[in-house]
């Protein structure tokens, strides 16, 4: 799993400038979900597909989804991104 807090401003920029209500975000290498979960929190009408190959990362992603109450909008996967 990789987490870089220095990327938070870039995540904020992506959410503000590119993601609109009704869009679907497909985060293929989401890790613990910093972009996927934050996008779902900030954009209530956004659907998110979040995937990571690391099963431990996906377990933490699922916890983050529940803690942030976005389980209706974020669908987690533990698959190869291909």
């Amino acid at each position: 799993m990789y987490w870089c807090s220095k990327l938070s401003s870039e995540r904020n920029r992506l959410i503000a400038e590119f993601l609109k209500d009704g869009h679907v975000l497909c985060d293929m290498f989401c890790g613990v979900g910093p972009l996927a979960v934050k996008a779902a929190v900030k954009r209530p009408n956004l659907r998110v597909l979040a995937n990571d190959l690391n099963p431990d990362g996906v377990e933490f992603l699922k916890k983050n989804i529940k803690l942030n109450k976005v389980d209706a909008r974020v669908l987690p996967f533990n698959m190869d991104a291909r």
Side-chain angles (χ1 to χ4, degrees):
M1 292 181 288
Y2 179 73
W3 173 270
C4 180
S5 59
K6 292 180 181 180
L7 291 175
S8 67
S9 59
E10 183 63 15
R11 287 189 288 269
N12 290 337
R13 187 181 73 80
L14 285 171
I15 293 167
E17 294 181 18
F18 293 103
L19 299 175
K20 306 295 180 210
D21 288 343
H23 281 183
V24 176
L25 169 65
C26 186
D27 191 349
M28 299 306 295
F29 309 97
C30 68
V32 298
L35 174 61
V37 173
K38 189 170 192 172
V41 168
K42 296 283 185 182
R43 297 273 184 205
N45 293 319
L46 182 76
R47 298 276 300 151
V48 180
L49 304 174
N51 179 68
D52 202 274
L53 185 58
N54 182 342
D56 294 326
V58 173
E59 287 305 310
F60 282 104
L61 168 65
K62 290 177 182 177
K63 289 179 183 181
N64 285 335
I65 289 169
K66 286 193 186 295
L67 285 171
N68 287 279
K69 299 176 181 145
V70 292
D71 30 359
R73 295 188 309 276
V74 180
L75 187 58
F77 295 94
N78 178 213
M79 299 169 58
D80 189 324
R82 289 183 277 163

